[in-house]
């Protein structure tokens, strides 16, 4: 998709469809209607007012009404999309509204679209969010469908605002990089487990790095054994597919001694059967999504390499299959991690924390001064937060606040969770240094507390994306399937580091 900016009034925008946002009736009555929407209404002889009055359009989020051959406009169609309450409308809402509009218009055969915005101090952020929304909305996880499908992608998306300052295309270029990275993560996560093994994921990482500013290393099973990554290897031993530790390195143009070194760690379980502690068969097909954390980190690194932040970044994705083969680890086994700590494996379905333990330790050994991991780690976080918020845990208040701020700026929802030292009392084993699960209560917290033992004392944040990485039912702005959550947050964290 080509993105471009047009400093034109809405009447002069040429496209298959032009889009304006209109708020609910209370917001409209309060005078919050965008000027560009009022201009579209005037040009069409009051059409937007008419659809309000008829009840066809109420301005609620994702309400839509389409006018063909609009009088007074050069565009072939005018789409008004609901934005909800004007006082709460921000880039996050515009991103989703634009994605919904693109999906709607795409289904109607539109191949060129333009979103009309008011020029103002928020234009840069709004234009960036809209462009991201257009690219995200154009994504479909239908690569394996062989029947009839719409193969015509959107060719052009424009942001139009009269009297806007120069340089707006730079913001659209950034939006393109970030949104394409998020779609890359979604494409990885949508692959079935028979086509996305640890080895294939490693190869996709290598291919991504060709011609980029990234260095790629893939650590094999023999090297892991030599180093002593007993936890990661124990998870992998039940599968015929060998594990891989994918390591990507980004170096800024200038580095100084003692500069921060950000480590990003992503859980890469390409299929999770639960192992010997096997999962119920219902919904097990979804367990291809257990590598969404690793996919998010790969997507983030793709964007980081193109945006060239001033901080050094190393990414680690431990990639394994968790299967109940004849050599699989058993409940009650004790494994020795890379850190030297021993773990009693009480439940083989709590495998993500085992592979992350060794990856976090190795990241520290590689000199990372700050760590952020992303993982579809626990069902307990879904019980706590549902599918709206990602749970955020940390051992360092400054890094946690920085990550939360990056998420807000990126339009992703994180919620800070407790990690008081008392929760460690739930992780006791008479036979090893700690078990891999705690008691029934506070499962997301005890899982994070387990990881903390391998991150300390390095400043660290854990993002439990189990509830947000996969959309169970399609939304107006996104199809069912992987969301690419955390990509934008991780990119914003790295690129905004110098602004801390």
């Amino acid at each position: 998709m080509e993105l471009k900016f047009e400093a034109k009034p809405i009447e002069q925008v040429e496209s298959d469809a032009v889009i304006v946002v209109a708020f609910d009736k209370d917001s409209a009555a309060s005078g919050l209607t965008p000027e560009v929407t009022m201009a579209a209404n005037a040009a069409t002889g009051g059409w937007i007012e008419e659809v309000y009055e008829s009840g066809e359009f109420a301005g609620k989020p994702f309400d839509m009404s389409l006018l063909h051959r609009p009088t007074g406009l050069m565009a072939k169609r005018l789409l008004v999309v609901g934005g909800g309450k004007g006082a709460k409308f921000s880039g996050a809402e515009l991103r989703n509204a634009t994605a919904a509009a693109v999906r709607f218009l795409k289904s109607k055969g539109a191949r060129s679209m333009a979103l009309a915005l008011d020029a103002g101090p928020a234009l840069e952020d709004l234009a960036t969010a809209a462009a991201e929304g257009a690219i995200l909305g154009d994504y479909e996880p239908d690569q394996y469908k062989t029947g009839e499908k719409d193969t015509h992608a959107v060719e052009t998306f424009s942001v139009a605002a009269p009297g806007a300052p120069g340089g707006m295309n730079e913001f659209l270029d950034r939006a393109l990089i970030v949104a394409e990275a998020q779609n890359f993560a979604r494409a990885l996560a949508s692959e079935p487990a028979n086509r996305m093994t640890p080895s294939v994921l490693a190869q996709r990482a290598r291919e991504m790095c060709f011609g980029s500013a990234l260095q790629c290393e893939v650590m094999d099973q023999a090297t892991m054994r030599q180093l002593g990554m007993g936890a990661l290897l124990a998870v992998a031993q039940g599968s015929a597919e060998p594990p891989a530790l994918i390591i990507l390195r980004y170096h800024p143009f200038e580095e100084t001694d003692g500069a921060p070194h950000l480590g990003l760690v992503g859980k890469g379980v390409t299929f999770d059967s639960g192992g010997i502690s096997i999962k119920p068969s219902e919904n097990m097909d979804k367990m291809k999504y257990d590598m969404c954390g690793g996919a998010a980190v790969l997507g983030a690194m793709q964007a980081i390499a193109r945006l060239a932040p001033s901080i050094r970044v190393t990414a680690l994705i431990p990639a394994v299959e968790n299967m109940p083969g004849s050599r699989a680890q058993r409940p009650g086994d004790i494994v020795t991690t890379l850190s030297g700590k021993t773990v009693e494996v009480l439940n083989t379905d709590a495998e993500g924390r085992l592979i992350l333990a060794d990856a976090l330790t190795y990241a520290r050994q590689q000199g990372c001064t700050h760590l952020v991991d992303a993982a579809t780690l626990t069902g307990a976080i879904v019980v706590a937060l549902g599918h709206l918020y990602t749970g955020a845990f940390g051992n360092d208040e400054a890094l946690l606040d920085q990550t939360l701020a990056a998420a807000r700026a990126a339009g992703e929802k994180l919620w800070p969770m407790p990690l008081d030292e008392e929760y460690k009392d739930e992780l006791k084993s008479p036979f090893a240094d700690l078990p891999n699960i705690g008691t029934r209560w506070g499962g997301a917290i005890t899982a994070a507390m387990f990881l903390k033992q391998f991150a300390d004392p390095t400043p660290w944040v854990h993002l439990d994306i189990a509830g947000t990485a996969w959309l169970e039912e399609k939304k107006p702005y996104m199809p069912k399937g992987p969301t690419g959550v955390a990509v934008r947050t991780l990119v914003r964290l790295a690129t905004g580091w110098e602004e801390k």
Side-chain angles (χ1 to χ4, degrees):
M1 181 191 298
E2 179 188 1
L3 297 179
K4 61 181 182 179
F5 182 80
E6 299 184 74
K8 294 180 179 179
I10 189 172
E11 296 86 351
Q12 297 177 16
V13 174
E14 296 184 66
S15 66
D16 288 345
V18 64
I19 307 160
V20 295
V21 176
F23 303 131
D24 63 17
K25 292 181 178 179
D26 291 340
S27 300
S30 301
L32 294 176
T33 303
E35 291 181 10
V36 70
T37 305
M38 292 190 290
N41 181 62
T44 56
W47 173 75
I48 295 178
E49 288 180 291
E50 289 179 9
V51 294
Y52 268 113
E53 292 170 359
S54 68
E56 177 184 343
F57 180 84
K60 295 178 181 179
F62 312 121
D63 275 359
M64 293 190 200
S65 190
L66 182 66
L67 176 64
H68 289 263
R69 298 295 179 185
T71 303
L73 302 183
M74 297 181 70
K76 296 178 182 178
R77 282 166 278 193
L78 169 64
L79 177 69
V80 57
V81 58
K85 296 188 179 301
K88 296 182 178 180
F89 193 78
S90 67
E93 286 74 28
L94 181 60
R95 183 181 294 104
N96 288 343
T98 305
V102 166
R103 295 184 67 79
F104 175 82
L105 289 169
K106 183 179 175 181
S107 71
K108 305 299 183 186
R111 300 293 170 241
S112 63
M113 307 170 194
L115 175 73
L117 294 173
D118 291 344
L123 179 60
E124 294 173 357
D125 290 340
L126 293 176
T128 300
E132 289 176 356
I135 296 167
L136 296 173
D138 195 33
Y139 172 81
E140 297 290 347
D142 60 356
Q143 63 267 39
Y144 292 110
K145 288 189 175 183
T146 59
E148 290 187 14
K149 58 182 179 179
D150 185 0
T151 58
H152 299 286
V154 178
E155 297 171 359
T156 306
F157 180 83
S158 304
V159 176
M168 288 299 300
N169 282 316
E170 295 179 10
F171 296 95
L172 300 189
D173 290 343
R174 177 190 171 89
L176 178 68
I177 290 170
V178 175
E180 284 185 341
Q182 187 172 343
N183 281 348
F184 175 67
R186 294 164 78 186
L188 291 175
S190 70
E191 290 283 355
N194 64 323
R195 296 176 182 265
M196 183 54 69
T197 64
S199 298
V200 172
L201 185 61
Q203 182 58 30
R204 295 288 292 273
R206 290 190 187 98
E207 292 169 358
M208 183 191 84
C209 293
F210 289 157
S212 77
L214 297 175
Q215 300 170 358
C216 182
E217 174 191 351
V218 178
M219 187 183 296
D220 61 17
Q221 193 168 1
T223 306
M224 294 181 212
R225 186 172 290 111
Q226 183 179 7
L227 290 174
M229 295 184 175
L232 195 161
L233 290 171
V235 175
Q237 70 189 40
S239 173
E241 295 289 343
L245 179 59
I246 303 164
I247 305 166
L248 305 181
R249 295 183 174 90
Y250 164 78
H251 293 268
F253 294 118
E254 295 182 6
E255 289 188 73
T256 57
D257 292 339
H261 179 182
L262 178 61
L264 304 180
V265 181
K267 176 184 172 184
V269 179
T270 58
F271 188 76
D272 182 17
S273 71
I276 295 295
S277 307
I278 197 163
K279 294 177 179 290
S281 60
E282 186 179 3
N283 294 324
M284 196 192 288
D285 59 289
K286 179 183 160 186
M287 286 302 104
K288 65 181 184 179
Y289 106 123
D290 218 14
M291 44 74 72
C292 282
V297 168
L298 286 173
M301 290 300 287
Q302 182 190 77
I304 286 168
R306 296 175 68 183
L307 294 171
S310 62
I311 186 173
R312 182 180 176 186
V313 186
T314 298
L316 299 97
I317 299 95
V320 300
E321 257 193 355
N322 186 26
M323 300 291 282
S326 61
R327 300 183 60 187
Q329 64 175 342
R330 297 146 291 245
D333 283 2
I334 294 176
V335 299
T336 301
T337 66
L338 178 60
S339 71
K341 291 184 174 70
T342 57
V343 177
E344 183 183 13
V345 181
L346 296 180
N347 189 322
T348 65
D349 193 25
E351 85 296 332
R353 64 201 73 181
L354 294 174
I355 67 173
L356 289 173
D358 281 348
L360 288 167
T361 300
Y362 192 68
R364 291 178 59 207
Q365 292 179 357
Q366 293 296 295
C368 294
T369 62
H370 299 77
L371 297 170
V372 180
D373 77 72
T376 49
L377 204 65
T378 67
I381 199 67
V382 189
V383 175
L385 298 177
H387 296 285
L388 187 61
Y389 277 87
T390 291
F393 304 78
N395 65 356
D396 181 85
E397 186 174 350
L399 182 59
L400 181 58
D401 288 346
Q402 193 176 349
T403 307
L404 292 168
R408 285 192 296 271
E412 295 191 312
K413 294 180 181 291
L414 302 190
W415 193 262
M417 299 289 289
L419 200 60
D420 300 61
E421 197 63 25
E422 289 88 341
Y423 285 108
K424 190 178 177 183
D425 294 339
E426 304 295 324
L427 293 173
K428 291 183 177 179
S429 166
F431 308 112
D433 294 330
L434 66 164
N436 75 324
I437 59 170
T439 61
R440 178 183 179 186
W441 311 113
I445 302 172
T446 54
M449 181 57 72
F450 179 93
L451 295 179
K452 182 176 181 291
Q453 309 314 305
F454 302 91
D456 279 342
T458 305
W460 155 81
V461 166
H462 161 58
L463 304 178
D464 194 335
I465 61 173
T468 53
W470 189 270
L471 202 61
E472 296 288 353
E473 297 181 359
K474 68 177 182 179
K475 301 286 187 182
Y477 54 88
M478 189 176 289
K480 176 181 178 178
T483 64
V485 72
V487 170
R488 297 201 308 272
T489 294
L490 297 177
V491 172
R492 184 75 182 201
L493 181 66
T495 57
W497 196 275
E498 60 270 23
E499 302 169 7
K500 186 178 69 167

